[in-house]
Amino acid sequence: MRAFRKMFTTELKLSIRGMDMVIFSIIMPVVVLVILGVVFKDKAASDNADYSFFEQSFGAVCAIAICAGGVMGLPLVVSDYRSKKILKRYKVTPIRPIMILSVQILIYALYAVTSLVSLLILASLAFDYQMRGSIIAFLGSYLLVMISMFSIGMLVGGLAKNVKTAGLMASILYFPMLVFSGATLPYELMPRPMQIASDFMPLTQGIKLLKASSLGHSVSNVLSPIIILMLLAILCSGISIKYFKWE
Amino acid sequence: MEETISVANLSRSFNGVLAVNDVSFSVRKGEVLGILGANGAGKTTTIECILGTQKADSGQVAILGLNPTQSRKTLFEKVGVQFQENSFQEKITVGELCNLTQALYRETVDYRELLERFHLTGKVKSLVSELSGGERQRLFVVLALIPNPEVLFLDELTTGLDTKARREVWKYLLELKKEGVTILLSSHFMDEVEALCDRILILKEGNTAFFGTVEEAIRSGDFACFEDAYLAFSGEENIDESF
């Protein structure tokens, strides 16, 4: 436990020193939320909706940090620590190299939760936001989205041949999802063909779930995203556990 | 005498090419064994198969009577390792790396004393990536010593060190030896081997070319000095003659 704590604080310090995750998972969602709040302040989500466009978008913005940590941060750090032989060095210590991977997962989860908390505070203070749905249901959805996105990240980081491949794959996953899954550019503003393409992205399904739970919609509306995310999590984590490359 | 490291019939091949072929030897408690050989002779592969970071195709290994793969957690409380390539996180400082390493073990030596001993105290706040080659090498010797090891593995420990620093590392290792620490090292420096090693294992293309003491190596043929004996056993002398 002492080793885990020490490793967590050290790795967190190194990660914050790197700054990229602070920018992409803490600052960026805040900026997007402010823009959405200012631009669509009193706009209704649709003609017959009783909730605003901003309320609808809140769930989507919460997914930015998960996306940044899951498909960009995690794969890069995992492949980097493998190619730098850091995982190998831990093999000749009393702790197992999996500890440093768990530490990294926890760090990215911490970034996501920090982002979520700051978005909730900002939205309620600056834009009178109040979540319509149950916060428990929302947190449950948030956790599921996080697990499924992180499992994609572990799959990419665990199987990529080197840091370069991992970086390339992370970019292919991260940038399109950031823009086209509805996390930044609202899904509802996309033309229909783009929405159809967007539906194939895992994060789009996650955002549907987050929106529905934050708006208090019934679970029966989002059964398919829930099933897709669960299957994805089981599949990706299963493959990455079985085929993880330690060296 | 107690055997601290025992290796029996160790073999390992890469893509059908034997890197280590049926190597057997043992290291007694408090003994320093040097593994020598040309580049690619199988020194690092042998060390890594003993440690369990590479999987041997066949053979048995025991360190302190334990199987390094099965009893990893217990064994590596008492084993210090310095790999040939030094691995560290980008942007980590000397102090952070030492502190983190210290937290991995139950019983440790205070890393500050070790840094002092290896003239690195002034570098505690420096990034590891910004250290000079020699400083970094000394740091990784320090990291290997942090667990207060009973057994020490040092793969090319003084490569990149200047003469003074090498002497200091030798002196420290000889003190550890006196305290009963068992050391297995690989080296390219014959003076180092003569100064430190009780016995040597010379590898040639993965095969054992010689196993015994430095004196035995010299006496085994018409050799003027240990370096001549080494060149003959390792098969490097032929290259010299072609000049």
Side-chain angles (χ1 to χ4, degrees):
Chain A
M1 208 47 218
R2 185 177 57 110
F4 190 88
R5 267 205 314 271
K6 188 75 187 174
M7 194 180 275
F8 180 76
T9 50
T10 310
E11 292 291 328
L12 183 63
K13 235 192 283 177
L14 296 179
S15 174
I16 292 172
R17 207 172 281 163
M19 271 315 277
D20 27 355
M21 272 303 132
V22 178
I23 294 169
F24 289 111
S25 68
I26 311 283
I27 298 174
M28 192 154 103
V30 165
V31 172
V32 174
L33 191 78
V34 170
I35 293 173
L36 288 173
V38 171
V39 174
F40 302 104
K41 195 165 188 317
D42 299 312
K43 189 178 178 289
S46 61
D47 293 340
N48 49 5
D50 60 347
Y51 47 84
S52 71
F53 191 85
F54 180 80
E55 284 176 291
Q56 186 181 46
S57 301
F58 182 81
V61 180
C62 292
I64 295 176
I66 297 181
C67 182
V71 301
M72 187 54 103
L74 255 187
L76 289 183
V77 80
V78 170
S79 59
D80 184 46
Y81 280 13
R82 176 180 47 236
S83 71
K84 286 210 179 89
K85 314 257 181 196
I86 290 168
L87 299 181
K88 176 177 149 188
R89 201 181 71 214
Y90 284 113
K91 280 188 171 177
V92 293
T93 69
I95 71 125
R96 291 192 295 160
I98 199 158
M99 190 188 273
I100 197 162
L101 299 182
S102 323
V103 161
Q104 292 300 339
I105 292 171
L106 200 63
I107 286 173
Y108 289 106
L110 184 67
Y111 276 123
V113 171
T114 309
S115 166
L116 178 62
V117 171
S118 54
L119 290 174
L120 274 169
I121 293 173
L122 178 71
S124 62
L125 292 184
F127 305 105
D128 297 323
Y129 174 78
Q130 215 182 348
M131 194 173 286
R132 287 167 186 263
S134 117
I135 186 83
I136 304 290
F138 180 77
L139 290 179
S141 311
Y142 195 77
L143 187 67
L144 175 60
V145 177
M146 191 153 81
I147 291 172
S148 62
M149 296 305 287
F150 281 19
S151 69
I152 298 176
M154 288 306 287
L155 180 70
V156 172
L159 269 63
K161 243 195 205 121
N162 50 46
V163 187
K164 234 176 152 179
T165 326
L168 183 71
M169 289 183 59
S171 304
I172 290 173
L173 287 168
Y174 174 70
F175 291 106
M177 283 213 273
L178 185 68
V179 181
F180 299 114
S181 68
T184 48
L185 177 70
Y187 181 83
E188 293 75 16
L189 297 183
M190 294 177 193
R192 189 67 198 132
M194 203 164 138
Q195 285 183 342
I196 295 170
S198 167
D199 281 337
F200 284 98
M201 294 177 179
L203 194 63
T204 311
Q205 301 302 323
I207 287 172
K208 281 186 179 174
L209 179 61
L210 289 171
K211 278 179 179 168
S213 56
S214 70
L215 292 169
H217 292 169
S218 118
V219 182
S220 56
N221 295 342
V222 283
L223 274 180
S224 63
I226 292 177
I227 293 168
I228 292 172
L229 291 173
M230 281 181 165
L231 285 178
L232 198 70
I234 293 168
L235 192 73
C236 293
S237 42
I239 297 175
S240 55
I241 288 168
K242 189 148 172 43
Y243 296 104
F244 193 89
K245 282 190 200 143
W246 292 102
E247 275 183 63
Chain B
M1 235 175 149
E2 211 181 316
E3 279 185 2
T4 302
I5 304 170
S6 71
V7 177
N9 312 105
L10 188 76
S11 291
R12 160 88 167 143
S13 58
F14 296 99
N15 306 319
V17 180
L18 272 167
V20 176
N21 182 21
D22 199 26
V23 168
S24 302
F25 64 90
S26 62
V27 192
R28 302 178 198 121
K29 185 173 160 50
E31 192 178 42
V32 181
L33 178 92
I35 300 187
L36 320 183
N39 291 322
K43 301 188 295 292
T44 297
T45 307
T46 303
I47 292 178
E48 294 210 356
C49 285
I50 296 172
L51 292 170
T53 49
Q54 283 189 32
K55 210 176 169 321
D57 298 332
S58 58
Q60 284 86 44
V61 171
I63 308 174
L64 295 167
L66 298 169
N67 179 310
T69 322
Q70 285 160 11
S71 312
R72 210 182 55 85
K73 203 172 150 53
T74 328
L75 180 62
F76 284 103
E77 286 283 353
K78 298 175 227 162
V79 175
V81 179
Q82 178 242 326
F83 282 123
Q84 204 180 102
E85 329 99 331
N86 300 325
S87 50
F88 54 91
Q89 290 88 326
E90 208 186 326
K91 298 199 175 77
I92 199 165
T93 66
V94 171
E96 285 165 348
L97 186 56
C98 289
N99 213 315
L100 178 59
T101 306
Q102 192 156 328
L104 306 178
Y105 302 93
R106 278 202 295 269
E107 283 168 46
T108 54
V109 184
D110 186 357
Y111 73 84
R112 286 171 216 98
E113 287 169 23
L114 291 169
L115 289 179
E116 179 82 50
R117 178 77 200 242
F118 288 94
H119 310 292
L120 288 167
T121 305
K123 298 286 176 186
V124 171
K125 291 196 160 60
S126 309
L127 290 176
V128 179
S129 57
E130 285 170 0
L131 296 180
S132 73
E135 286 166 345
R136 204 180 294 166
Q137 193 72 8
R138 277 182 279 149
L139 172 63
F140 278 81
V141 174
V142 166
L143 294 180
L145 294 171
I146 283 178
N148 196 14
E150 286 178 35
V151 189
L152 200 50
F153 288 83
L154 305 162
D155 198 357
E156 300 203 0
L157 85 146
T158 60
T159 302
L161 293 186
D162 61 33
T163 311
K164 184 166 166 273
R166 281 175 65 205
R167 298 274 161 148
E168 276 167 359
V169 173
W170 295 357
K171 198 169 154 234
Y172 193 80
L173 293 181
L174 288 171
E175 282 172 33
L176 289 178
K177 185 185 140 130
K178 247 185 231 156
E179 291 166 21
V181 176
T182 309
I183 302 172
L184 189 151
L185 57 87
S186 78
S187 178
H188 282 297
F189 301 107
M190 295 310 130
D191 54 346
E192 179 165 294
V193 170
E194 287 188 274
L196 295 175
C197 298
D198 300 299
R199 286 194 291 172
I200 49 165
L201 172 75
I202 301 176
L203 293 176
K204 181 186 176 184
E205 290 161 10
N207 293 290
T208 306
F210 176 81
F211 179 51
T213 65
V214 168
E215 288 72 37
E216 283 165 1
I218 299 172
R219 279 205 313 265
S220 68
D222 187 20
F223 302 117
C225 64
F226 175 58
E227 194 161 67
D228 288 348
Y230 165 73
L231 288 172
F233 282 116
S234 66
E236 289 183 75
E237 58 170 3
N238 303 335
I239 301 159
D240 277 355
E241 283 163 5
S242 66
F243 277 103

